[in-house]
Amino acid sequence: MISNFSTIDYFAKSLKDPMHEVFVVFDNKEHHEHINLVNDLNSLNQHDLHQYVKDNCIDDFIHNASDKDAERKLYYFVHLISQDVARHRIEKLIEPTERPAPYHLQNLYDVICDKNHLVSMNQFNTDNFGFERNKLVYVLCPVLEQSNSSYWIFHVILRLAREKKLNLKIRLDPFIEIPLNDYRPMSYKMFVHGKTLDWDRLTNLRGDEYGQWMDEKEYKHMGYTDFIWSPKKDEIHFTCEELPKRHNFLRTSRYFHAIFNKNTGMISHCDGAIRYYSEDELQYRSDYHVKDPEVRKIGKRIKIFGFESNDNDNKEIDQDTFCTLAVNFFVWNNDVQKYFNE
């Protein structure tokens, strides 16, 4: 359930993560959202606030603060508003409408969407590290609750469009539409690269090869990650899904699929998606592996990007590009990083 915070629209439409924006708004009494934020802070449930502060040792972060009560509220509010924005985004992404946000906006009304609500990059100008159209800029939809979770795959997609002239399809963030003159995206210093796998061995597979990694760290989003290589005639299908922990509030997985053409040694299809589960669906899914037919149709799949070699004269992509797409889509998943970099 989403709260009634009056600032949710503002923080949902900001390029900055709430952790970087909430404190700025609070400290600036002239900010147009300052009063709304103060009212939101005053509406916080005191019992839940104290429990959050205790459980997360928040006082360790604010021992030099002049107003500890305000700082405690701000940290708790960042936690709550981040969850609310993530829930609100999922609601928009699964909305049963022909043109879901942001495609309902006037500036995007004539943009062509496919059945998965993906749009071709060649309908936008990408010179400004965003998807610009008529002086308004849009960004790739986040794949996790963190606002920067698509940052690295976003940059890989932009690079592929420039260097290899690939026309990938992407899902836009339903909340972001920013005038070009105001577009100042955050920059993060981390390089994620995947090396080429042992394709000769994979090409000669006679049956399915699959595995699973478990992440037991309590602070991690993911519970475990399944993968499978499945040979089908002249193709090998790769599927990988990162399941969230059952107590995770968002109940979304990261789902990646690709098709390797054994005749050409190249990748003819590749896509990355979010899979949204109800509580019962997630519990059911967690009892199976991604290879099992019982779980192929459950949950709602929301594609974030897609590549088809037969779309708009796209050529097949090479193995190294596929590996780089995979590891950047699964950023922060150390098991996937290790698998593609052994």
Side-chain angles (χ1 to χ4, degrees), residues 283-319:
Q283 182 169 349
Y284 182 80
R285 168 65 184 89
S286 299
D287 292 333
Y288 292 91
H289 190 279
V290 73
K291 68 178 175 61
D292 297 324
E294 289 87 348
V295 297
R296 288 175 185 166
K297 300 296 182 181
I298 65 171
K300 293 182 175 65
R301 197 173 305 180
I302 308 160
K303 287 197 176 184
I304 300 300
F305 80 90
F307 166 83
E308 293 285 352
S309 60
N310 57 1
D311 277 353
N312 300 312
D313 298 323
N314 271 339
K315 298 179 180 178
E316 293 180 313
I317 60 176
D318 59 66
Q319 300 159 4

Side-chain angles (χ1 to χ4, degrees), residues 113-325:
C113 304
D114 69 11
K115 64 180 181 180
N116 296 306
H117 305 304
L118 300 181
V119 293
S120 296
M121 289 176 58
N122 62 7
Q123 299 180 87
F124 300 86
N125 175 18
T126 60
D127 292 340
N128 298 293
F129 292 97
F131 302 112
E132 183 259 322
R133 184 179 176 86
N134 300 322
K135 304 296 183 181
L136 292 172
V137 184
Y138 310 87
V139 299
L140 187 67
C141 183
V143 292
L144 297 175
E145 57 265 33
Q146 293 90 341
S147 62
N148 65 337
S149 55
S150 284
Y151 175 84
W152 290 271
I153 188 67
F154 172 58
H155 277 253
V156 170
I157 288 172
L158 287 179
R159 190 177 76 242
L160 292 176
R162 291 195 184 95
E163 296 177 1
K164 302 197 176 186
K165 309 303 179 186
L166 294 180
N167 178 34
L168 280 78
K169 292 183 176 181
I170 45 93
R171 181 70 181 264
L172 299 179
D173 188 313
F175 299 135
I176 302 297
E177 182 186 65
I178 298 177
L180 180 59
N181 291 337
D182 298 332
Y183 182 64
R184 298 177 182 86
M186 295 284 286
S187 180
Y188 301 91
K189 294 183 179 179
M190 183 173 75
F191 180 69
V192 186
H193 179 69
K195 298 178 181 177
T196 301
L197 297 166
D198 186 351
W199 291 100
D200 289 337
R201 184 185 63 80
L202 291 171
T203 301
N204 292 311
L205 285 179
R206 293 294 178 263
D208 292 348
E209 178 176 289
Y210 52 89
Q212 184 181 88
W213 303 295
M214 182 75 69
D215 198 315
E216 297 180 349
K217 295 183 178 68
E218 188 60 31
Y219 61 88
K220 290 285 190 178
H221 161 93
M222 71 284 294
Y224 60 85
T225 305
D226 293 340
F227 74 90
I228 181 172
W229 295 92
S230 183
K232 303 179 187 298
K233 297 183 179 179
D234 294 331
E235 299 175 339
I236 302 179
H237 288 240
F238 173 74
T239 306
C240 185
E241 183 174 18
E242 173 199 271
L243 268 293
K245 289 184 169 69
R246 292 190 185 184
H247 59 73
N248 182 270
F249 76 96
L250 203 53
R251 302 192 308 274
T252 59
S253 74
R254 288 190 281 188
Y255 187 91
F256 190 91
H257 175 248
I259 299 175
F260 171 60
N261 185 332
K262 291 195 285 187
N263 294 325
T264 64
M266 306 281 274
I267 310 300
S268 61
H269 164 89
C270 187
D271 69 77
I274 298 170
R275 220 174 182 182
Y276 174 72
Y277 295 98
S278 68
E279 289 187 23
D280 290 341
E281 286 173 333
L282 180 57
Q283 182 169 349
Y284 182 80
R285 168 65 184 89
S286 299
D287 292 333
Y288 292 91
H289 190 279
V290 73
K291 68 178 175 61
D292 297 324
E294 289 87 348
V295 297
R296 288 175 185 166
K297 300 296 182 181
I298 65 171
K300 293 182 175 65
R301 197 173 305 180
I302 308 160
K303 287 197 176 184
I304 300 300
F305 80 90
F307 166 83
E308 293 285 352
S309 60
N310 57 1
D311 277 353
N312 300 312
D313 298 323
N314 271 339
K315 298 179 180 178
E316 293 180 313
I317 60 176
D318 59 66
Q319 300 159 4
D320 189 61
T321 298
F322 156 75
C323 293
T324 300
L325 283 168

